[in-house]
Amino acid sequence: MSSSTMKGYNDIPRHLEVRSQRLLELARHQLKGSLIEPYQPKGVQYMIQKELTGPGCILADEMGLGKTVMTVSFVLAMKAFYQQEQTQHLPTLVIAPKSVCPQWVDEIIKFSNLNVVLFEKDVSEDIMKNCDFIVVSFSFFSRNSCTSSILYKCKFQRVILDEAHWIKNPNTVTSKHIRDIKCEKKLCLSGTPIQNDPKDLFSLVKWIFKDDLHKLHLATRGVSLASQSKDKRQMCREYISTCMLM
């Protein structure tokens, strides 16, 4: 996603646009800081809309565009939504490269009053239940022993993958273990959802839409078209826009 490109942010039903705008405003009142650039609130609205209407989405943001503050705003908005609905809002699990996990913790604290834990070893179930965010590294899931941790005994409201291309190969131990985490919704953050081959995107799409065969078919069709001639790129974008904002 960039400030000049908002593909995927179109054909939004009016009632959904209004509701997401109201939730965005609630989040802004609670945010310690602001969404400065014009593309940031639109990105947050997109994430809200996709969570309200499906299993999740991919936010293909470029580096330095403020994905952390956008994600915090999104979680604030959704927490407000579940409070309005008088429904429990479960913790959010952020999985990121180990080098940026402390930065996630610092920025969540900087921009909100949400409770956050950096997961480096098992913590008590009470702590997990009272957290809004749990931040853990991809490397944690590279060990077979990870499946015995408390992360697999809990259910999360959503799992957020930062630099989601880490699961582009569905056959790695890390990818398999991440697929086994129980959650309601899923969000991929990646500036490079396609690195070397359009098929890189397929693992992300399949992870999100494994229970939504129609959307999985549309997005898979888009990935297939991206592998073909240049004249099919527009059609590819139309298919991919069902799940990705870039």
Side-chain angles (χ1 to χ4, degrees):
M1 185 183 69
S2 68
S3 57
S4 59
T5 307
M6 292 300 298
K7 300 181 185 72
Y9 190 77
N10 49 24
D11 301 325
I12 302 297
R14 177 62 182 165
H15 72 279
L16 183 58
E17 185 175 358
V18 170
R19 185 161 205 179
S20 63
Q21 180 63 43
R22 288 174 180 168
L23 290 172
L24 173 63
E25 290 307 313
L26 287 174
R28 278 178 144 162
H29 287 305
Q30 298 179 55
L31 191 68
K32 295 193 296 185
S34 60
L35 298 169
I36 300 172
E37 302 296 340
Y39 58 82
Q40 289 180 329
K42 289 185 177 181
V44 176
Q45 272 192 271
Y46 179 83
M47 290 187 280
I48 293 169
Q49 290 159 2
K50 291 302 180 183
E51 177 150 325
L52 290 175
T53 59
C57 64
I58 301 169
L59 186 67
D61 62 337
E62 298 169 7
M63 187 177 293
L65 293 184
K67 63 185 175 185
T68 309
V69 67
M70 291 166 65
T71 303
V72 171
S73 301
F74 161 62
V75 173
L76 285 169
M78 295 314 302
K79 188 173 182 179
F81 168 76
Y82 285 103
Q83 287 173 342
Q84 290 175 352
E85 297 292 310
Q86 297 184 331
T87 304
Q88 183 182 14
H89 183 259
L90 300 170
T92 295
L93 182 67
V94 175
I95 306 176
K98 190 172 184 178
S99 61
V100 300
C101 284
Q103 180 182 338
W104 267 95
V105 173
D106 290 344
E107 301 233 329
I108 291 168
I109 293 170
K110 175 182 176 181
F111 290 118
S112 74
N113 290 317
L114 297 172
N115 297 318
V116 57
V117 165
L118 178 59
F119 190 92
E120 296 178 301
K121 58 182 179 180
D122 267 358
V123 297
S124 72
E125 191 171 343
D126 287 340
I127 290 176
M128 293 284 286
K129 286 181 179 178
N130 291 318
C131 274
D132 296 297
F133 277 101
I134 294 95
V135 180
V136 63
S137 70
F138 280 104
S139 59
F140 176 81
F141 298 96
S142 65
R143 306 185 296 268
N144 286 324
S145 60
C146 72
T147 55
S148 63
S149 82
I150 196 171
L151 294 181
Y152 288 86
K153 299 174 185 175
C154 299
K155 186 173 185 179
F156 297 96
Q157 192 65 47
R158 64 192 65 79
V159 173
I160 299 174
L161 303 185
D162 183 18
E163 298 192 24
H165 53 268
W166 273 66
I167 65 163
K168 69 178 183 178
N169 182 349
N171 299 316
T172 64
V173 171
T174 298
S175 295
K176 291 176 181 177
H177 287 162
I178 289 173
R179 287 199 298 271
D180 290 336
I181 297 172
K182 297 186 288 291
C183 64
E184 292 288 335
K185 306 287 182 176
K186 298 168 182 175
L187 171 64
C188 288
L189 306 175
S190 179
T192 52
I194 299 175
Q195 288 191 308
N196 301 313
D197 190 304
K199 292 179 182 178
D200 292 344
L201 182 59
F202 182 73
S203 288
L204 278 60
V205 169
K206 191 172 182 180
W207 178 66
I208 295 173
F209 295 106
K210 68 181 182 69
D211 296 321
D212 190 330
L213 297 180
H214 175 64
K215 286 187 177 179
L216 179 59
H217 169 74
L218 290 177
T220 304
R221 178 63 175 153
V223 172
S224 175
L225 287 168
S227 305
Q228 299 177 28
S229 59
K230 291 182 179 180
D231 62 349
K232 294 189 177 180
R233 286 180 180 171
Q234 179 58 39
M235 192 181 299
C236 164
R237 284 195 289 268
E238 291 172 3
Y239 282 112
I240 294 297
S241 69
T242 62
C243 67
M244 182 166 71
L245 181 64
M246 48 186 171

